[in-house]
Amino acid sequence: MSEATFRHVVMFKWDTEKASAEHRAGVGAELDKMAKSIDTIVSFKHGKDAGLSESNFDYVLVVDFANEEGYVTYRDSPAHQEFLTKNIKGFIQNRSAVQHKL
């Protein structure tokens, strides 16, 4: 496995009027399924907020890549685009993301 030198972090807040509890609960499994199909991912972690602060986002994803090109491959991959269309777009109120070198 390659050493990670580039990280992508994304957080989002669900629109609970559009994303049912069942939908929200299934996102983790869908993320894992997507990640298995993208070979540029070095490390893939995600989870829902612990609920300790009211102003927090609801979910976070932290993905590491060997380099910036690995991130771009992930970002543009059909599997990632399909995941976004089926699970994120139209289901969230807010999103925040950052990519940075490690």
Side-chain angles (χ1 to χ4, degrees):
M1 186 181 296
S2 300
E3 182 179 336
T5 66
F6 197 75
R7 178 169 285 164
H8 167 62
V9 180
V10 62
M11 301 178 298
F12 51 87
K13 189 167 249 339
W14 292 112
D15 182 335
T16 55
E17 292 182 10
K18 296 179 181 175
S20 68
E22 181 180 23
H23 177 87
R24 296 188 311 263
V27 165
E30 292 299 316
L31 278 166
D32 290 336
K33 179 180 168 185
M34 175 200 64
K36 289 177 184 175
S37 70
I38 303 171
D39 64 3
T40 62
I41 294 172
V42 174
S43 175
F44 191 82
K45 307 285 186 199
H46 60 88
K48 68 179 194 170
D49 181 63
L52 302 176
S53 296
E54 206 172 295
S55 62
N56 285 2
F57 282 80
D58 296 321
Y59 210 90
V60 66
L61 174 68
V62 180
V63 189
D64 292 342
F65 304 91
N67 51 43
E68 292 176 35
E69 293 79 15
Y71 163 72
V72 172
T73 297
Y74 157 83
R75 181 196 67 196
D76 297 342
S77 72
H80 181 241
Q81 294 304 312
E82 180 180 357
F83 169 81
L84 292 175
T85 299
K86 289 183 176 179
N87 297 284
I88 302 300
K89 293 177 182 178
F91 294 103
I92 61 172
Q93 290 180 354
N94 198 0
R95 175 189 178 275
S96 187
V98 64
Q99 294 82 40
H100 66 91
K101 292 183 180 183
L102 296 175

